[in-house]
Amino acid sequence: MTHLPTVKTGDALTEYELTDLDVDRHLLDLSGRSLVVFTSAGCASCRWARKSLAEMELPIEQLVWIDAANNPGVVQRYDVFHLPALFAVKDGSFYDQVSCRLHANELCLALDAAFSLPPEELP
């Protein structure tokens, strides 16, 4: 596996900051469950997500952050129309967009539902 740009590593959760240039390769290489989160500095909900998601007990091993303002290519491929936008990825496969409020219980249910779907290729 190539070197990933690690933002923060906790006991059970690692965070990555990816860009248009490296997102495809790294998402294919990551093993386990990942929550891919598109954010932007000017978005209040995104700032809250950035601060809070890593502290929640979620059924994932990685949080992958993508700055939507600076990475238009991946934003277009994932059809991101609102922020924050969340997507479930596992072992290099795409599962689904995660649509729910940013509360631990709702996120756990939405992630479990997403990961129960058949996997697809990454966008």
Side-chain angles (χ1 to χ4, degrees):
M1 180 189 298
T2 57
H3 173 71
L4 291 168
T6 305
V7 175
K8 183 173 109 179
T9 302
D11 291 334
L13 185 68
T14 303
E15 296 180 56
Y16 301 102
E17 188 82 40
L18 300 181
T19 69
D20 274 339
L21 301 176
D22 59 8
V23 67
D24 296 325
R25 176 76 265 140
H26 292 314
L27 286 179
L28 286 170
D29 287 345
L30 284 176
S31 62
R33 294 176 170 201
S34 301
L35 180 60
V36 178
V37 185
F38 289 82
T39 63
S40 179
C43 163
S45 295
C46 297
R47 289 191 302 273
W48 187 90
R50 187 81 183 203
K51 185 175 117 178
S52 303
L53 285 176
E55 304 302 319
M56 294 181 190
E57 291 189 30
L58 300 174
I60 57 171
E61 287 79 40
Q62 292 94 212
L63 264 173
V64 177
W65 300 101
I66 299 173
D67 183 337
N70 294 324
N71 298 286
V74 71
V75 165
Q76 183 178 19
R77 285 197 314 275
Y78 278 76
D79 291 327
V80 174
F81 292 104
H82 69 283
L83 297 173
L86 290 73
F87 298 88
V89 173
K90 179 181 170 190
D91 298 328
S93 294
F94 177 81
Y95 281 78
D96 201 9
Q97 182 168 4
V98 177
S99 299
C100 67
R101 295 186 309 157
L102 298 178
H103 295 281
N105 291 340
E106 290 184 36
L107 278 167
C108 286
L109 291 171
L111 284 164
D112 287 343
F115 287 123
S116 71
L117 298 171
E120 301 176 17
E121 288 186 17
L122 291 170

